[in-house]
Amino acid sequence: MKFSLRPQDAAFYDFFSRAAQNLMHGTEMLMELALPGADVQSVSERLGDLEHDSDQITHELYNKINSTFITPFDRSDIYNLGSGLDDVMDHLEAAGNLVYLYGLTKLPALPREMHELVDVLDQQAKITANAMPQLKGMKNLQEYWVEINRLENEGDRAYRMLLVRLFSGEYDALTVLKMKEVADELEKACDAFEHVANTIETIAVKES
Amino acid sequence: MKFSLRPQDAAFYDFFSRAAQNLMHGTEMLMELALPGADVQSVSERLGDLEHDSDQITHELYNKINSTFITPFDRSDIYNLGSGLDDVMDHLEAAGNLVYLYGLTKLPALPREMHELVDVLDQQAKITANAMPQLKGMKNLQEYWVEINRLENEGDRAYRMLLVRLFSGEYDALTVLKMKEVADELEKACDAFEHVANTIETIAVKES
Amino acid sequence: MKFSLRPQDAAFYDFFSRAAQNLMHGTEMLMELALPGADVQSVSERLGDLEHDSDQITHELYNKINSTFITPFDRSDIYNLGSGLDDVMDHLEAAGNLVYLYGLTKLPALPREMHELVDVLDQQAKITANAMPQLKGMKNLQEYWVEINRLENEGDRAYRMLLVRLFSGEYDALTVLKMKEVADELEKACDAFEHVANTIETIAVKES
C-alpha cells in the first residue's frame, strides 16, 4: 500500500478525468449523426450543455491552481493540460452546432469520410480518458502517445479524402463551404487531442 | 508611497501599454468601416502604419529583454506577451487590408454580423488597454480575464452567425469566399485577445 | 582547440541539421511544380517519403531526450524545436499531396503568385539549414532571425496577392477552393519556419 498521493493531488487528477470523460460523451454524440434519422438539434443542444459543463470544470481547475500551495506538477503544465482538454471540447461542440445551424441534415446523408473522421475522434477520446488515471504514476503512457499520433495521422488522411470528396463536383459551392467548416472543426479536434498528448509528454519528460 | 518599481521595469510596462493602445486605435479604425461612405483605402493604409509601429514596439521590447539583467517577470513570458499583442495587431491589419484588396466595398454594405464582431474586438481592445497598467501589481486582473472570456464567447457566436449569413445564398460564391477571409481574420483577432489574457494569467499564477 | 562540446550534444545538433536538410529537399521538390511538364505524382510521393524520414528523425530525437541525463539546453525547448521542424515538413508534404490529389495539374499552370510563395519557402529552408550548425555557439543567429521574419512578411504578401488572384473571377469556385487549400498549407509552412526561428530565439534568450 502506498500513501504518496496527497489529497490535494487527487483533486487535480479528478478534474482531468472528468474533462476527458466529457470528451468521450461528446464524440459519442457526434457518432449519432451517422445514424439514420438522427436528431441533429438534440445532438447540438446536448453538446452545448456538455461544453458548458467542461467550461465549469476548467474554471474550477484554474481556481484550484491558484489556491493550492504545492501542485503535483508545474502550474503552467496543469494550466496547459486543462486548456488543451477544453479546446478539444470547443471543436467538438462547434462541429455539432454547425451541422445544425447550416441545416446540413437536409442532405440525404453526410459524406462517409466525415463519419470516418468522427470515428477517429471517438477512438482518441477513449484512449485519452483511459490515460488520465495513469497520469498519477506517469507510467504506461508510451502506448497512449504512439496510438494518439497514429490516430492523428489516420484523421489527417480521412480529412484529406473528405476534401477530395467535397471538391469532386458532387455538391454545390455553398454546401461544400458549409461541410468544409464542419470538417475543419473535426480536424482541429483531432489535432487538439494530439496537443493534449504532447502536453502530457512534456510533463513526463520533466518528471523523468 | 512605494518605491518597489525599478526604472527598468517601468520600460517593460510602457511597451505593453503602447502596444495595447495601438490595438485600441486599430479596432477604432475597423469601426469606421460600418459608417456610410467609409474610406476603405484610408482605413487599410492607416492600419498598415499602425501595424508597422507595433512591429517597432515589439522589436524594441525584444532588444530590451536581451539587454536587461533582471526582468520584472520571466523572460519567456515577457516574450510571449509581446508577441501575443503583436499577433492581435497582425489580424486587425489583415482584416482591414483584405476588405480593401478584395474590393468588398462595392457591396451596398458589409453584413451586420461582421460589424458585431468588430464591436466585440473594440470592447476587448479597451479592456486590454485598461488592464496593462494593472500588470505592475498583478491586482484586479480577475475581472479582465472573466470579461475577455465572455467577449471571446460572444465573438464566437457572432462569427458563427456571420457564417450562417454568408452561406445563406444571399451572396455569390466568390463574394462569400472573400468575406469569409475577412471574417476569419476578425475571429483570429478575437482569439488572440484571449491568448493575451491567458498569458497574463500564466504570469499571475507564477507570481502568486 | 576547444573541447566544450560533449559527444551527447553533438547527437542533438545532428538531429536538427538532418531535419533542416530535409526541409531544404522538400522545398526543392515543390519548386519542381513550377517547371513545364512537372511530374506531380512523383513530387507528391517523394515528399511523402521525405516526411516519413522526418517523422523518424523526430521520433529518434524524442527517444534521445528521454535517455539523456544532461541535454545541451532545456528538454522542453529541444522538444519544441524538434516538433517545430516537423510541423514545417508536414505542411510542405500536405501542399504537394493536395496538388496531386485535387488534380490541379490539369490546369495550364498554377498561378505565378503560388510559385512566389514556394520561392519564399525555399529561401527560408536554406537559411534555416545554414543556421542549425550555429546553434552550438548560439552565435550569429541575429541575421537568421531578421531574415526569417523578413521572408515571413514577404510570404504573407505573396499569399494575400495569391488570394486576390484566386478570387478575381478567373477560376471556377471549386478550383478556387482547391487552390486555396494548397495556398493555406504553403502559408502555414511559412509561419512554421518563423515559429522555428522564434523557438531558437527563446533558447538563445535563456542561454544569454
Side-chain angles (χ1 to χ4, degrees):
Chain A
M1 216 167 173
K2 216 171 148 229
F3 284 98
S4 68
L5 187 69
R6 287 161 298 170
Q8 289 288 15
D9 292 358
F12 285 104
Y13 296 117
D14 188 50
F15 285 123
F16 298 136
S17 287
R18 280 162 60 203
Q21 291 287 331
N22 272 0
L23 298 182
M24 227 172 63
H25 297 316
T27 57
E28 278 161 14
M29 290 174 193
L30 287 177
M31 295 285 276
E32 291 181 30
L33 298 176
L35 303 175
D39 183 345
V40 184
Q41 182 173 356
S42 157
V43 168
S44 171
E45 285 172 1
R46 281 178 288 141
L47 274 167
D49 291 343
L50 202 60
E51 194 233 347
H52 188 75
D53 186 61
S54 287
D55 274 350
Q56 197 55 41
I57 293 171
T58 313
H59 186 71
E60 288 173 31
L61 171 67
Y62 290 176
N63 282 342
K64 189 81 193 164
I65 297 174
N66 284 322
S67 64
T68 304
F69 191 62
I70 300 174
T71 51
F73 33 89
D74 268 9
R75 276 158 207 276
S76 59
D77 289 326
I78 296 177
Y79 188 90
N80 281 339
L81 183 50
S83 72
L85 290 163
D86 199 48
D87 283 348
V88 182
M89 181 53 82
D90 286 351
H91 294 302
L92 298 180
E93 188 274 333
N97 188 231
L98 293 180
V99 172
Y100 172 63
L101 280 180
Y102 296 157
L104 283 171
T105 45
K106 283 158 203 157
L107 293 173
L110 294 170
R112 179 180 50 80
E113 292 85 354
M114 191 171 278
H115 296 307
E116 285 172 7
L117 194 44
V118 171
D119 190 59
V120 168
L121 291 172
D122 192 52
Q123 293 178 59
Q124 286 184 310
K126 283 197 177 74
I127 66 169
T128 301
N130 284 340
M132 288 303 134
Q134 298 176 319
L135 270 183
K136 285 174 197 170
M138 285 293 162
K139 282 196 161 50
N140 306 320
L141 289 164
Q142 188 71 28
E143 207 180 317
Y144 156 66
W145 294 321
V146 171
E147 186 63 6
I148 279 284
N149 278 290
R150 191 190 68 74
L151 287 167
E152 200 273 332
N153 283 331
E154 200 175 310
D156 233 53
R157 227 175 1 250
Y159 175 72
R160 277 190 207 176
M161 296 325 290
L162 174 54
L163 294 198
V164 170
R165 173 82 178 269
L166 293 181
F167 298 161
S168 64
E170 192 176 334
Y171 307 98
D172 68 288
L174 281 181
T175 303
V176 171
L177 285 171
K178 291 172 183 177
M179 289 207 282
K180 186 160 179 307
E181 286 304 302
V182 177
D184 285 352
E185 292 294 344
L186 296 175
E187 199 265 340
K188 281 179 194 164
C190 194
D191 275 359
F193 270 121
E194 194 188 26
H195 185 77
V196 166
N198 287 344
T199 302
I200 292 178
E201 195 158 12
T202 305
I203 296 169
V205 165
K206 287 188 191 171
E207 300 285 309
S208 70
Chain B
M1 216 170 173
K2 213 172 150 228
F3 285 97
S4 68
L5 187 68
R6 287 160 298 168
Q8 288 289 13
D9 292 358
F12 284 103
Y13 296 117
D14 188 49
F15 284 123
F16 298 136
S17 287
R18 281 163 61 204
Q21 290 288 330
N22 273 0
L23 297 182
M24 228 172 65
H25 296 316
T27 56
E28 279 161 14
M29 289 174 195
L30 288 177
M31 295 284 277
E32 290 181 32
L33 297 176
L35 303 175
D39 184 345
V40 183
Q41 183 173 357
S42 157
V43 168
S44 171
E45 285 171 1
R46 281 179 287 141
L47 274 168
D49 291 344
L50 201 61
E51 193 233 348
H52 189 75
D53 186 61
S54 286
D55 274 349
Q56 197 55 41
I57 294 170
T58 312
H59 186 71
E60 287 172 33
L61 170 67
Y62 290 175
N63 281 342
K64 189 81 193 162
I65 297 174
N66 284 321
S67 65
T68 303
F69 191 64
I70 300 173
T71 51
F73 32 88
D74 268 8
R75 277 158 207 275
S76 59
D77 289 327
I78 297 177
Y79 188 91
N80 280 340
L81 183 51
S83 73
L85 290 163
D86 200 48
D87 282 348
V88 182
M89 181 52 82
D90 286 351
H91 294 302
L92 298 179
E93 189 273 333
N97 188 232
L98 293 180
V99 172
Y100 173 62
L101 280 180
Y102 296 157
L104 283 171
T105 45
K106 283 157 204 158
L107 293 173
L110 293 170
R112 180 180 51 78
E113 292 85 354
M114 192 172 278
H115 296 306
E116 285 172 6
L117 194 45
V118 171
D119 190 61
V120 168
L121 291 172
D122 193 51
Q123 293 178 61
Q124 285 184 311
K126 282 196 178 76
I127 65 168
T128 302
N130 283 340
M132 288 302 134
Q134 298 176 319
L135 270 183
K136 284 175 199 169
M138 285 292 162
K139 283 197 161 49
N140 307 319
L141 288 164
Q142 189 72 28
E143 206 180 319
Y144 155 66
W145 293 321
V146 171
E147 186 63 7
I148 279 285
N149 278 291
R150 190 190 67 75
L151 286 168
E152 201 272 334
N153 283 332
E154 200 175 311
D156 232 53
R157 228 176 357 251
Y159 174 73
R160 278 190 206 177
M161 296 325 289
L162 175 53
L163 294 200
V164 170
R165 174 83 178 270
L166 292 181
F167 298 160
S168 64
E170 189 176 335
Y171 307 98
D172 67 287
L174 281 181
T175 302
V176 171
L177 285 171
K178 291 172 183 177
M179 289 207 284
K180 183 159 183 305
E181 286 304 301
V182 177
D184 285 351
E185 291 294 345
L186 296 175
E187 197 265 341
K188 282 178 195 166
C190 195
D191 274 358
F193 270 120
E194 194 187 25
H195 185 78
V196 165
N198 287 345
T199 302
I200 292 177
E201 195 158 14
T202 304
I203 295 169
V205 165
K206 286 187 191 172
E207 301 285 309
S208 70
Chain C
M1 215 170 174
K2 216 172 149 225
F3 285 98
S4 68
L5 187 67
R6 287 161 298 170
Q8 289 289 13
D9 292 359
F12 285 104
Y13 297 117
D14 188 51
F15 284 123
F16 298 137
S17 288
R18 281 162 61 201
Q21 290 287 331
N22 272 1
L23 298 181
M24 227 173 64
H25 297 316
T27 56
E28 278 161 14
M29 289 173 195
L30 288 177
M31 295 284 276
E32 289 181 32
L33 297 176
L35 303 175
D39 183 345
V40 183
Q41 183 174 358
S42 157
V43 168
S44 171
E45 285 172 1
R46 281 179 288 142
L47 274 168
D49 291 343
L50 202 60
E51 194 234 347
H52 188 75
D53 187 60
S54 286
D55 274 350
Q56 197 56 40
I57 294 171
T58 312
H59 186 71
E60 287 172 34
L61 171 67
Y62 290 176
N63 282 341
K64 189 80 194 163
I65 297 174
N66 284 322
S67 65
T68 303
F69 191 64
I70 301 173
T71 52
F73 32 89
D74 269 8
R75 277 159 207 275
S76 60
D77 289 327
I78 297 177
Y79 188 91
N80 280 340
L81 183 49
S83 74
L85 290 164
D86 200 48
D87 283 348
V88 183
M89 180 52 82
D90 286 351
H91 294 302
L92 297 180
E93 189 273 333
N97 188 231
L98 293 180
V99 172
Y100 172 62
L101 280 180
Y102 297 157
L104 284 170
T105 45
K106 284 159 201 156
L107 293 172
L110 294 169
R112 181 180 51 78
E113 293 84 355
M114 192 172 277
H115 296 306
E116 285 172 6
L117 193 45
V118 171
D119 190 60
V120 168
L121 292 173
D122 193 52
Q123 293 178 61
Q124 285 183 310
K126 282 197 178 73
I127 66 168
T128 301
N130 283 339
M132 288 302 135
Q134 299 176 319
L135 270 183
K136 285 174 199 172
M138 284 293 161
K139 282 196 162 49
N140 306 319
L141 288 165
Q142 189 71 28
E143 207 180 316
Y144 155 67
W145 293 321
V146 172
E147 186 63 7
I148 280 285
N149 278 290
R150 191 190 67 74
L151 287 168
E152 201 272 333
N153 282 332
E154 202 176 309
D156 233 54
R157 228 176 359 252
Y159 174 73
R160 278 189 206 177
M161 296 325 290
L162 175 54
L163 294 198
V164 170
R165 175 81 178 270
L166 292 182
F167 298 160
S168 64
E170 190 176 334
Y171 307 98
D172 68 285
L174 281 181
T175 303
V176 171
L177 285 171
K178 291 172 183 178
M179 289 208 282
K180 186 159 180 306
E181 286 303 301
V182 176
D184 284 351
E185 292 293 344
L186 295 175
E187 199 264 340
K188 281 179 196 164
C190 195
D191 274 0
F193 269 121
E194 195 188 26
H195 185 77
V196 165
N198 287 344
T199 302
I200 292 177
E201 195 159 13
T202 305
I203 295 169
V205 165
K206 287 188 190 169
E207 300 285 309
S208 71

